[in-house]
Amino acid sequence: NAGVMQNPRHLVRRRGQEARLRCSPMKGHSHVYWYRQLPEEGLKFMVYLQKENIIDESGMPKERFSAEFPKEGPSILRIQQVVRGDSAAYFCASSPDPNQETQYFGPGTRLLVL
Amino acid sequence: QKEVEQDPGPLSVPEGAIVSLNCTYSNSAFQYFMWYRQYSRKGPELLMYTYSSGNKEDGRFTAQVDKSSKYISLFIRDSQPSDSATYLCAMEAGGTSYGKLTFGQGTILTVHP
């Protein structure tokens, strides 16, 4: 059973460009979570999605950031008009049922904004 | 004040030592407690998951939760160089906050031969 998959693993963007990060949850998992890890800091919750629904986006910056988890295909975290402060590691996690089990993390996408 | 406080270390111990890692928290709504291990430039890996006060043991690892003191610990017995990693505590309130993990800053552990 493959784990959570994220791609790309590394992404370089110039200021003002768009970044698209993809996450494929573990087989059988329908709940996806995105976290951001800034240098020297712990992971910070961004958003929790189920298929076609955003459940909790309380950790998402109000502007430039969006997330989706369509019926088919991976979850996408989209950052528009990136700035240097967006440089971080972005982790996706998945779970089968948040009421019963905790989350399993992917390897992360490391975004560098030049 | 952060909801979850964790001493970032770094912590350096000799092989075979007992390691104690700790987190305190301020949000009494937290019900579920986890410890993750994160190797350099990798994703966090779940080590322990508990939801009640007391001890839970898994091999060389013991997780301890004291809800009355808002304090959790992870003990590693007979530490090995392969245990060298960053250890993150994480907590979840449940209810309407299901799925939202709050992490500590992480403690960097080095076990030297």
Side-chain angles (χ1 to χ4, degrees):
Chain A
N1 185 13
V4 178
M5 301 181 70
Q6 289 187 248
N7 65 81
R9 295 291 305 278
H10 301 273
L11 183 61
V12 180
R13 285 288 179 265
R14 298 192 180 279
R15 282 178 294 169
Q17 292 184 320
E18 178 180 288
R20 282 189 176 230
L21 288 61
R22 288 178 291 278
C23 168
S24 296
M26 289 178 69
K27 186 177 182 181
H29 289 195
S30 59
H31 302 262
V32 166
Y33 317 82
W34 286 93
Y35 293 82
R36 177 165 64 177
Q37 188 173 38
L38 293 167
E40 308 304 325
E41 293 188 22
L43 284 87
K44 303 293 185 188
F45 170 83
M46 298 181 75
V47 63
Y48 162 30
L49 311 103
Q50 290 183 30
K51 285 285 188 181
E52 300 184 281
N53 288 306
I54 296 175
I55 307 301
D56 183 345
E57 57 181 348
S58 59
M60 286 278 273
K62 292 291 185 277
E63 298 179 351
R64 303 186 297 108
F65 285 72
S66 63
E68 63 177 11
F69 189 16
K71 186 176 180 181
E72 301 291 338
S75 175
I76 306 288
L77 179 67
R78 182 182 178 203
I79 311 172
Q80 295 179 292
Q81 299 176 333
V82 296
V83 301
R84 288 203 175 129
D86 297 333
S87 295
Y90 292 82
F91 291 96
C92 168
S94 72
S95 71
D97 179 347
N99 293 339
Q100 296 182 8
E101 286 195 46
T102 189
Q103 301 166 24
Y104 298 87
F105 281 78
T109 293
R110 280 155 183 83
L111 172 66
L112 175 63
V113 180
L114 300 176
Chain B
Q1 181 187 9
K2 294 181 181 178
E3 280 189 290
V4 180
E5 297 275 1
Q6 183 177 6
D7 186 344
L11 187 61
S12 181
V13 301
E15 184 175 355
I18 296 174
V19 176
S20 172
L21 305 166
N22 311 294
C23 288
T24 59
Y25 62 96
S26 58
N27 187 349
S28 56
F30 287 140
Q31 299 180 42
Y32 307 95
F33 306 91
M34 291 133 270
W35 285 95
Y36 284 85
R37 177 174 62 195
Q38 186 176 22
Y39 290 113
S40 180
R41 308 193 71 74
K42 302 288 187 183
E45 171 194 9
L46 179 66
L47 284 176
M48 302 286 281
Y49 175 71
T50 61
Y51 53 85
S52 59
S53 284
N55 293 351
K56 180 177 181 180
E57 191 172 315
D58 184 1
R60 296 184 296 110
F61 298 92
T62 299
Q64 190 175 78
V65 174
D66 183 346
K67 288 186 177 181
S68 62
S69 300
K70 297 189 178 67
Y71 187 88
I72 69 170
S73 299
L74 178 70
F75 298 96
I76 307 174
R77 290 184 299 281
D78 187 25
S79 56
Q80 303 294 310
S82 58
D83 294 329
S84 298
T86 297
Y87 289 80
L88 300 157
C89 63
M91 307 181 187
E92 182 180 0
T96 56
S97 295
Y98 268 126
K100 181 177 179 179
L101 297 186
T102 302
F103 282 85
Q105 187 178 356
T107 299
I108 300 170
L109 171 67
T110 301
V111 181
H112 50 86

